[in-house]
Amino acid sequence: MTLDLQEKFDAVIAHHDRIEPRDWMPEGYRKTLVRQIAQHAHSEIIGMQPEGNWIGRAPSLRRKAILLAKVQDEAGHGLYLYAACETLGVSRDELVEMLLTGRQKYSSIFNYPTLSYADVGTIGWLVDGAAICNQVPLCRTSYGPYGRAMIRICKEESFHQRQGYELLRTMMGGTDAQRQMVQESVDRFWWPSLMMFGPPDEESPNSARSIAWGIKRNGNDELRQRFVDMTVPQAEALGVTLPDPELRWNDERGHYDFGAPDWAELAAVIRGDGPCNAQRLAHRRAAHDDGAWVREAATAFAERSAR
Ligand SMILES: [Fe+2]
Ligand SMILES: [Fe+2]
């Protein structure tokens, strides 16, 4: 019986079709998806904080409207992804609990601080840009609800990247002080952006399994290369320098060569020792506690409506 189910599952994966919530799936596949989708959902929610920090200090009404829309989009992405994760038999309460207790992770990038308004532009350009490289292949992931959530998310991510680039371009056309602000911001975010793709493939034990299951479609190093190749011409057009002396075009490979990020730094940030880990989780816990009355009122209303 189980063999038939396994064969059917393998055939769906081999044909690049979708597995749906009602279908049988191996327990390892389900667990890997819960971990990946939850980590992704948590990243969207925690990712609202570094930029949310600047909403009250936006330099104009136009910039404020753009930033508000972007941060609200990230909340929506978190909700699509929590809903996709719930189809795997895990409740929203459990997911929130695992974020708040640190048992599930979120993207390392959101443990870095935002020190100037240029960071809003740099995050849009580099961080959302890296997210797009990671996420576009996930539109074809083997689990239906995840793939469909990603299609909606990717449409909004391309707006996020453009608004960031447009902000940086405006600043680069301004004063020397503004240009310096952009360069300083790019210097801080370049390496952490490359780390967003995770450790090198040979040190990423789950990667091969995820690719075999069709959850991931590409390795970490391949996606990192794609991001570098896409970003270098954009940096040249902007007039900023990427802080990597080893960065140069390789004619033979048809790709840019680049230096290795500081993997010890990535390991430290994932372990909880990044510059803002404690602050991000403390802020999230406080927001969760502040929202308790909303959840209680919604539950009471739902119970009364059902009667
Ligand atoms: Fe997002
Ligand atoms: Fe985004």
Side-chain angles (χ1 to χ4, degrees), residues 40 43-45 70 73-78 81 110 128 131 135 150 153-154 156-157 160:
H40 195 161
S43 302
E44 302 284 355
I45 298 300
K70 199 248 182 192
D73 281 354
E74 307 300 6
H77 297 174
L81 289 163
F110 301 120
D128 289 273
Q135 293 174 4
M150 291 318 304
I153 289 172
C154 283
E156 294 177 343
E157 294 300 354
H160 296 175

PDB file of all heavy atoms in Angstrom, residues 40 43-45 70 73-78 81 110 128 131 135 150 153-154 156-157 160, ligand 1:
ATOM      1  N   HIS A  40      10.417  31.026   5.775  1.00  0.00           N
ATOM      2  CA  HIS A  40      10.132  32.052   4.785  1.00  0.00           C
ATOM      3  C   HIS A  40       9.071  33.037   5.308  1.00  0.00           C
ATOM      4  O   HIS A  40       9.227  34.256   5.224  1.00  0.00           O
ATOM      5  CB  HIS A  40       9.668  31.339   3.509  1.00  0.00           C
ATOM      6  CG  HIS A  40       9.677  32.200   2.303  1.00  0.00           C
ATOM      7  ND1 HIS A  40       9.681  31.689   1.029  1.00  0.00           N
ATOM      8  CD2 HIS A  40       9.660  33.539   2.171  1.00  0.00           C
ATOM      9  CE1 HIS A  40       9.670  32.688   0.181  1.00  0.00           C
ATOM     10  NE2 HIS A  40       9.657  33.814   0.843  1.00  0.00           N
ATOM     11  N   SER A  43      10.475  35.280   7.933  1.00  0.00           N
ATOM     12  CA  SER A  43      11.363  36.288   7.340  1.00  0.00           C
ATOM     13  C   SER A  43      10.567  37.489   6.836  1.00  0.00           C
ATOM     14  O   SER A  43      11.003  38.635   6.982  1.00  0.00           O
ATOM     15  CB  SER A  43      12.159  35.694   6.177  1.00  0.00           C
ATOM     16  OG  SER A  43      12.908  34.584   6.613  1.00  0.00           O
ATOM     17  N   GLU A  44       9.414  37.217   6.234  1.00  0.00           N
ATOM     18  CA  GLU A  44       8.584  38.324   5.746  1.00  0.00           C
ATOM     19  C   GLU A  44       8.141  39.213   6.910  1.00  0.00           C
ATOM     20  O   GLU A  44       8.160  40.435   6.820  1.00  0.00           O
ATOM     21  CB  GLU A  44       7.336  37.787   5.020  1.00  0.00           C
ATOM     22  CG  GLU A  44       7.626  36.864   3.841  1.00  0.00           C
ATOM     23  CD  GLU A  44       8.104  37.593   2.592  1.00  0.00           C
ATOM     24  OE1 GLU A  44       8.133  38.837   2.588  1.00  0.00           O
ATOM     25  OE2 GLU A  44       8.454  36.906   1.614  1.00  0.00           O
ATOM     26  N   ILE A  45       7.751  38.571   8.018  1.00  0.00           N
ATOM     27  CA  ILE A  45       7.215  39.319   9.167  1.00  0.00           C
ATOM     28  C   ILE A  45       8.344  40.062   9.899  1.00  0.00           C
ATOM     29  O   ILE A  45       8.226  41.257  10.192  1.00  0.00           O
ATOM     30  CB  ILE A  45       6.468  38.351  10.124  1.00  0.00           C
ATOM     31  CG1 ILE A  45       5.267  37.710   9.390  1.00  0.00           C
ATOM     32  CG2 ILE A  45       6.027  39.076  11.399  1.00  0.00           C
ATOM     33  CD1 ILE A  45       4.227  38.689   8.866  1.00  0.00           C
ATOM     34  N   LYS A  70       5.213  49.097   0.734  1.00  0.00           N
ATOM     35  CA  LYS A  70       6.175  47.997   0.664  1.00  0.00           C
ATOM     36  C   LYS A  70       6.131  47.164   1.945  1.00  0.00           C
ATOM     37  O   LYS A  70       6.069  45.935   1.909  1.00  0.00           O
ATOM     38  CB  LYS A  70       7.567  48.592   0.444  1.00  0.00           C
ATOM     39  CG  LYS A  70       8.563  47.604  -0.092  1.00  0.00           C
ATOM     40  CD  LYS A  70       9.630  47.267   0.873  1.00  0.00           C
ATOM     41  CE  LYS A  70      10.622  46.310   0.275  1.00  0.00           C
ATOM     42  NZ  LYS A  70      11.511  45.734   1.259  1.00  0.00           N
ATOM     43  N   ASP A  73       3.079  45.130   2.098  1.00  0.00           N
ATOM     44  CA  ASP A  73       3.186  43.947   1.210  1.00  0.00           C
ATOM     45  C   ASP A  73       3.868  42.799   1.950  1.00  0.00           C
ATOM     46  O   ASP A  73       3.466  41.644   1.823  1.00  0.00           O
ATOM     47  CB  ASP A  73       4.060  44.255  -0.017  1.00  0.00           C
ATOM     48  CG  ASP A  73       3.329  45.029  -1.105  1.00  0.00           C
ATOM     49  OD1 ASP A  73       2.113  45.243  -0.977  1.00  0.00           O
ATOM     50  OD2 ASP A  73       4.000  45.411  -2.087  1.00  0.00           O
ATOM     51  N   GLU A  74       4.918  43.115   2.708  1.00  0.00           N
ATOM     52  CA  GLU A  74       5.664  42.053   3.400  1.00  0.00           C
ATOM     53  C   GLU A  74       4.764  41.356   4.428  1.00  0.00           C
ATOM     54  O   GLU A  74       4.842  40.130   4.594  1.00  0.00           O
ATOM     55  CB  GLU A  74       6.933  42.598   4.066  1.00  0.00           C
ATOM     56  CG  GLU A  74       7.893  43.388   3.178  1.00  0.00           C
ATOM     57  CD  GLU A  74       8.471  42.621   1.983  1.00  0.00           C
ATOM     58  OE1 GLU A  74       8.054  41.482   1.740  1.00  0.00           O
ATOM     59  OE2 GLU A  74       9.327  43.194   1.280  1.00  0.00           O
ATOM     60  N   ALA A  75       3.903  42.117   5.094  1.00  0.00           N
ATOM     61  CA  ALA A  75       2.943  41.499   6.025  1.00  0.00           C
ATOM     62  C   ALA A  75       2.050  40.527   5.260  1.00  0.00           C
ATOM     63  O   ALA A  75       1.801  39.404   5.698  1.00  0.00           O
ATOM     64  CB  ALA A  75       2.099  42.565   6.712  1.00  0.00           C
ATOM     65  N   GLY A  76       1.591  40.957   4.082  1.00  0.00           N
ATOM     66  CA  GLY A  76       0.746  40.086   3.259  1.00  0.00           C
ATOM     67  C   GLY A  76       1.484  38.821   2.843  1.00  0.00           C
ATOM     68  O   GLY A  76       0.914  37.722   2.873  1.00  0.00           O
ATOM     69  N   HIS A  77       2.762  38.955   2.487  1.00  0.00           N
ATOM     70  CA  HIS A  77       3.549  37.771   2.094  1.00  0.00           C
ATOM     71  C   HIS A  77       3.620  36.774   3.250  1.00  0.00           C
ATOM     72  O   HIS A  77       3.492  35.573   3.062  1.00  0.00           O
ATOM     73  CB  HIS A  77       4.977  38.174   1.698  1.00  0.00           C
ATOM     74  CG  HIS A  77       5.030  39.070   0.502  1.00  0.00           C
ATOM     75  ND1 HIS A  77       6.189  39.641   0.050  1.00  0.00           N
ATOM     76  CD2 HIS A  77       4.055  39.486  -0.346  1.00  0.00           C
ATOM     77  CE1 HIS A  77       5.929  40.387  -1.011  1.00  0.00           C
ATOM     78  NE2 HIS A  77       4.648  40.312  -1.265  1.00  0.00           N
ATOM     79  N   GLY A  78       3.835  37.312   4.454  1.00  0.00           N
ATOM     80  CA  GLY A  78       3.876  36.449   5.634  1.00  0.00           C
ATOM     81  C   GLY A  78       2.567  35.678   5.771  1.00  0.00           C
ATOM     82  O   GLY A  78       2.565  34.472   6.013  1.00  0.00           O
ATOM     83  N   LEU A  81       2.076  32.879   3.248  1.00  0.00           N
ATOM     84  CA  LEU A  81       2.968  31.749   3.526  1.00  0.00           C
ATOM     85  C   LEU A  81       2.543  30.983   4.774  1.00  0.00           C
ATOM     86  O   LEU A  81       2.631  29.751   4.798  1.00  0.00           O
ATOM     87  CB  LEU A  81       4.419  32.242   3.639  1.00  0.00           C
ATOM     88  CG  LEU A  81       5.010  32.683   2.287  1.00  0.00           C
ATOM     89  CD1 LEU A  81       6.249  33.535   2.489  1.00  0.00           C
ATOM     90  CD2 LEU A  81       5.341  31.474   1.417  1.00  0.00           C
ATOM     91  N   PHE A 110      17.920  40.067   8.185  1.00  0.00           N
ATOM     92  CA  PHE A 110      17.117  41.016   8.971  1.00  0.00           C
ATOM     93  C   PHE A 110      17.680  41.237  10.373  1.00  0.00           C
ATOM     94  O   PHE A 110      17.086  41.942  11.175  1.00  0.00           O
ATOM     95  CB  PHE A 110      15.651  40.580   8.984  1.00  0.00           C
ATOM     96  CG  PHE A 110      15.092  40.497   7.592  1.00  0.00           C
ATOM     97  CD1 PHE A 110      14.589  39.309   7.088  1.00  0.00           C
ATOM     98  CD2 PHE A 110      15.114  41.615   6.771  1.00  0.00           C
ATOM     99  CE1 PHE A 110      14.107  39.235   5.785  1.00  0.00           C
ATOM    100  CE2 PHE A 110      14.647  41.552   5.463  1.00  0.00           C
ATOM    101  CZ  PHE A 110      14.141  40.355   4.971  1.00  0.00           C
ATOM    102  N   ASP A 128      15.718  42.684  -1.605  1.00  0.00           N
ATOM    103  CA  ASP A 128      14.579  42.186  -2.390  1.00  0.00           C
ATOM    104  C   ASP A 128      15.073  41.594  -3.711  1.00  0.00           C
ATOM    105  O   ASP A 128      14.486  40.637  -4.229  1.00  0.00           O
ATOM    106  CB  ASP A 128      13.542  43.285  -2.635  1.00  0.00           C
ATOM    107  CG  ASP A 128      12.802  43.648  -1.340  1.00  0.00           C
ATOM    108  OD1 ASP A 128      11.790  42.996  -1.025  1.00  0.00           O
ATOM    109  OD2 ASP A 128      13.260  44.557  -0.633  1.00  0.00           O
ATOM    110  N   ALA A 131      16.144  38.198  -2.891  1.00  0.00           N
ATOM    111  CA  ALA A 131      14.921  37.414  -2.634  1.00  0.00           C
ATOM    112  C   ALA A 131      14.281  36.983  -3.955  1.00  0.00           C
ATOM    113  O   ALA A 131      13.824  35.846  -4.083  1.00  0.00           O
ATOM    114  CB  ALA A 131      13.940  38.229  -1.792  1.00  0.00           C
ATOM    115  N   GLN A 135      13.363  33.333  -5.134  1.00  0.00           N
ATOM    116  CA  GLN A 135      11.937  33.022  -5.097  1.00  0.00           C
ATOM    117  C   GLN A 135      11.322  32.727  -6.456  1.00  0.00           C
ATOM    118  O   GLN A 135      10.347  31.975  -6.529  1.00  0.00           O
ATOM    119  CB  GLN A 135      11.186  34.166  -4.409  1.00  0.00           C
ATOM    120  CG  GLN A 135      11.546  34.252  -2.927  1.00  0.00           C
ATOM    121  CD  GLN A 135      10.944  35.453  -2.220  1.00  0.00           C
ATOM    122  OE1 GLN A 135      10.177  36.212  -2.817  1.00  0.00           O
ATOM    123  NE2 GLN A 135      11.286  35.633  -0.966  1.00  0.00           N
ATOM    124  N   MET A 150       3.981  31.802  -3.978  1.00  0.00           N
ATOM    125  CA  MET A 150       5.176  32.455  -4.510  1.00  0.00           C
ATOM    126  C   MET A 150       4.894  33.266  -5.762  1.00  0.00           C
ATOM    127  O   MET A 150       5.517  34.297  -6.004  1.00  0.00           O
ATOM    128  CB  MET A 150       6.277  31.428  -4.805  1.00  0.00           C
ATOM    129  CG  MET A 150       6.894  30.773  -3.596  1.00  0.00           C
ATOM    130  SD  MET A 150       7.225  31.874  -2.228  1.00  0.00           S
ATOM    131  CE  MET A 150       8.241  33.076  -3.023  1.00  0.00           C
ATOM    132  N   ILE A 153       3.623  36.527  -4.580  1.00  0.00           N
ATOM    133  CA  ILE A 153       4.674  37.261  -3.873  1.00  0.00           C
ATOM    134  C   ILE A 153       5.683  37.866  -4.852  1.00  0.00           C
ATOM    135  O   ILE A 153       6.081  39.028  -4.734  1.00  0.00           O
ATOM    136  CB  ILE A 153       5.368  36.330  -2.855  1.00  0.00           C
ATOM    137  CG1 ILE A 153       4.407  36.046  -1.696  1.00  0.00           C
ATOM    138  CG2 ILE A 153       6.687  36.914  -2.366  1.00  0.00           C
ATOM    139  CD1 ILE A 153       4.883  34.999  -0.712  1.00  0.00           C
ATOM    140  N   CYS A 154       6.078  37.078  -5.861  1.00  0.00           N
ATOM    141  CA  CYS A 154       7.116  37.554  -6.789  1.00  0.00           C
ATOM    142  C   CYS A 154       6.687  38.800  -7.557  1.00  0.00           C
ATOM    143  O   CYS A 154       7.514  39.655  -7.867  1.00  0.00           O
ATOM    144  CB  CYS A 154       7.506  36.435  -7.756  1.00  0.00           C
ATOM    145  SG  CYS A 154       8.596  35.236  -6.950  1.00  0.00           S
ATOM    146  N   GLU A 156       4.976  41.210  -6.413  1.00  0.00           N
ATOM    147  CA  GLU A 156       5.178  42.373  -5.545  1.00  0.00           C
ATOM    148  C   GLU A 156       6.660  42.621  -5.277  1.00  0.00           C
ATOM    149  O   GLU A 156       7.077  43.769  -5.127  1.00  0.00           O
ATOM    150  CB  GLU A 156       4.391  42.185  -4.250  1.00  0.00           C
ATOM    151  CG  GLU A 156       2.905  42.201  -4.543  1.00  0.00           C
ATOM    152  CD  GLU A 156       2.004  41.942  -3.344  1.00  0.00           C
ATOM    153  OE1 GLU A 156       2.482  41.432  -2.314  1.00  0.00           O
ATOM    154  OE2 GLU A 156       0.819  42.247  -3.462  1.00  0.00           O
ATOM    155  N   GLU A 157       7.450  41.549  -5.255  1.00  0.00           N
ATOM    156  CA  GLU A 157       8.884  41.724  -5.000  1.00  0.00           C
ATOM    157  C   GLU A 157       9.552  42.550  -6.108  1.00  0.00           C
ATOM    158  O   GLU A 157      10.500  43.287  -5.844  1.00  0.00           O
ATOM    159  CB  GLU A 157       9.611  40.387  -4.845  1.00  0.00           C
ATOM    160  CG  GLU A 157       9.216  39.559  -3.623  1.00  0.00           C
ATOM    161  CD  GLU A 157       9.453  40.234  -2.281  1.00  0.00           C
ATOM    162  OE1 GLU A 157      10.029  41.328  -2.236  1.00  0.00           O
ATOM    163  OE2 GLU A 157       9.022  39.662  -1.266  1.00  0.00           O
ATOM    164  N   HIS A 160       9.190  45.991  -5.250  1.00  0.00           N
ATOM    165  CA  HIS A 160      10.075  46.345  -4.130  1.00  0.00           C
ATOM    166  C   HIS A 160      11.488  46.658  -4.622  1.00  0.00           C
ATOM    167  O   HIS A 160      12.119  47.598  -4.174  1.00  0.00           O
ATOM    168  CB  HIS A 160      10.149  45.189  -3.113  1.00  0.00           C
ATOM    169  CG  HIS A 160       8.837  44.907  -2.454  1.00  0.00           C
ATOM    170  ND1 HIS A 160       8.644  43.860  -1.602  1.00  0.00           N
ATOM    171  CD2 HIS A 160       7.646  45.561  -2.550  1.00  0.00           C
ATOM    172  CE1 HIS A 160       7.385  43.869  -1.176  1.00  0.00           C
ATOM    173  NE2 HIS A 160       6.760  44.882  -1.738  1.00  0.00           N
TER     174      HIS A 160
HETATM  175 FE    FE B   1       8.293  39.774   0.674  1.00  0.00          FE
END
